[in-house]
Amino acid sequence: MDYPNDQAPGAPVRSGIPEHGRIPKYYAVKARIAALLDELGEGSVIPTERDLAERYDVARETVRQAVRELVLEGRLRRKGRGTVVAGPKLAQPLSLASYTEGVRRQGRTPGRTLVTLDRFPCPQALAAETGLTRGEPVWHLERVLLADEERVGLESTYVAVERVPGLDADFDPDSSFYGYLAAQGISFGDADERIETVLATPREALLIGTPPALPMLLIHRLSRDTEGRPLERVRSLYRGDRFSFTTHLKG
């Protein structure tokens, strides 16, 4: 296969162009707009659809499709009635580190907005997955995740009331839950995680402030303490246009 000398290691091979050389017109325009974004820089407003259509001598619908894909990929973002160049995605490590630590390492300010904190009897499905006892009191903590005041995700945490009985009284919802557990003398041992791509429900899209058609990265985590006891069940939903995940593999 022809592999251009200037092919970036993380880019699509041959820039995504099929071997037969025939590419959709919108994709060619998308590539040219993407190059333009590098010139404009983060936060810059891109030209209007009409201006881009005239610049590249294509129909406005062709430009619209190209821009739509760049928005979904996180290269562009809507701002008011315009469209601006987006910043780099947040690269969150797949580890037992907290969301707070991951965001701070990238020079961003983490935050959370409390949606709900309630307690209820552990249902059968949650008990079967976590090893908790059906009917025992469980906390449900739901928060919108923020990065520099921008809503970027939604997190639901389930934990036994027995482990953190004062959660509703002495926990700051804007702070790190993992930091709170550490202050209670609780340490993480290991965790199982599963990642999938989903679309947000109408409620989730409303809370995060995104269109329902925007792809989301969904992480399911089941954590245990150093003694192997179940500690938390977490459902974390991240904007696909604002996040990527990293991990270190060792043979």
Side-chain angles (χ1 to χ4, degrees):
M1 176 182 292
D2 180 25
Y3 196 89
N5 292 330
D6 61 351
Q7 172 75 55
V13 175
R14 299 184 72 245
S15 298
I17 300 174
E19 277 68 19
H20 55 56
R22 297 187 298 275
I23 61 173
K25 184 175 291 186
Y26 88 89
Y27 189 88
V29 172
K30 175 184 170 184
R32 297 178 72 177
I33 295 176
L36 175 64
L37 304 187
D38 295 333
E39 298 176 13
L40 293 175
E42 181 180 348
S44 299
V45 179
I46 68 169
T48 65
E49 288 181 359
R50 175 177 295 179
D51 290 340
L52 290 172
E54 291 178 356
R55 178 184 300 201
Y56 302 129
D57 192 25
V58 295
R60 289 181 64 177
E61 180 54 39
T62 301
V63 170
R64 189 171 296 122
Q65 184 175 357
V67 169
R68 188 182 304 122
E69 287 204 0
L70 289 168
V71 169
L72 289 175
E73 292 174 4
R75 297 293 309 278
L76 293 170
R77 62 185 177 88
R78 308 293 188 185
K79 186 175 183 180
R81 300 186 64 180
T83 304
V84 302
V85 181
K89 290 186 178 184
L90 288 159
Q92 186 77 349
L94 289 172
S95 68
L96 280 173
S98 72
Y99 168 79
T100 299
E101 295 172 23
V103 173
R104 281 180 176 161
R105 275 200 295 265
Q106 296 169 79
R108 307 285 292 276
T109 302
R112 296 173 177 83
T113 300
L114 180 66
V115 178
T116 183
L117 173 57
D118 52 13
R119 99 185 236 174
F120 57 90
C122 183
Q124 177 58 36
L126 183 61
E129 186 175 348
T130 61
L132 298 175
T133 302
R134 180 180 180 181
E136 74 169 287
V138 171
W139 290 117
H140 172 223
L141 171 65
E142 184 180 33
R143 297 179 292 174
V144 174
L145 303 176
L146 308 173
D148 290 342
E149 300 300 323
E150 178 187 12
R151 289 178 285 174
V152 294
L154 183 67
E155 183 180 77
S156 283
T157 302
Y158 301 88
V159 59
V161 172
E162 175 198 6
R163 305 303 298 270
V164 282
L167 187 66
D168 60 338
D170 53 19
F171 173 63
D172 176 7
D174 188 36
S175 66
S176 167
F177 181 61
Y178 288 9
Y180 173 78
L181 290 177
Q184 307 301 308
I186 301 174
S187 300
F188 282 91
D190 65 340
D192 295 318
E193 283 192 338
R194 185 176 84 252
I195 304 176
E196 56 185 305
T197 304
V198 299
L199 296 177
T201 65
R203 176 180 179 273
E204 291 167 337
L206 183 63
L207 287 170
I208 302 173
T210 59
L214 181 71
M216 296 282 179
L217 296 169
L218 174 61
I219 294 186
H220 299 276
R221 172 183 283 190
L222 179 61
S223 304
R224 291 168 286 270
D225 62 18
T226 51
E227 298 178 355
R229 297 174 59 197
L231 184 52
E232 61 164 1
R233 167 63 164 93
V234 183
R235 183 184 191 277
S236 300
L237 195 65
Y238 296 93
R239 289 179 54 161
D241 63 335
R242 302 302 296 131
F243 271 90
S244 64
F245 289 90
T246 63
T247 188
H248 175 69
L249 303 177
K250 187 175 181 180

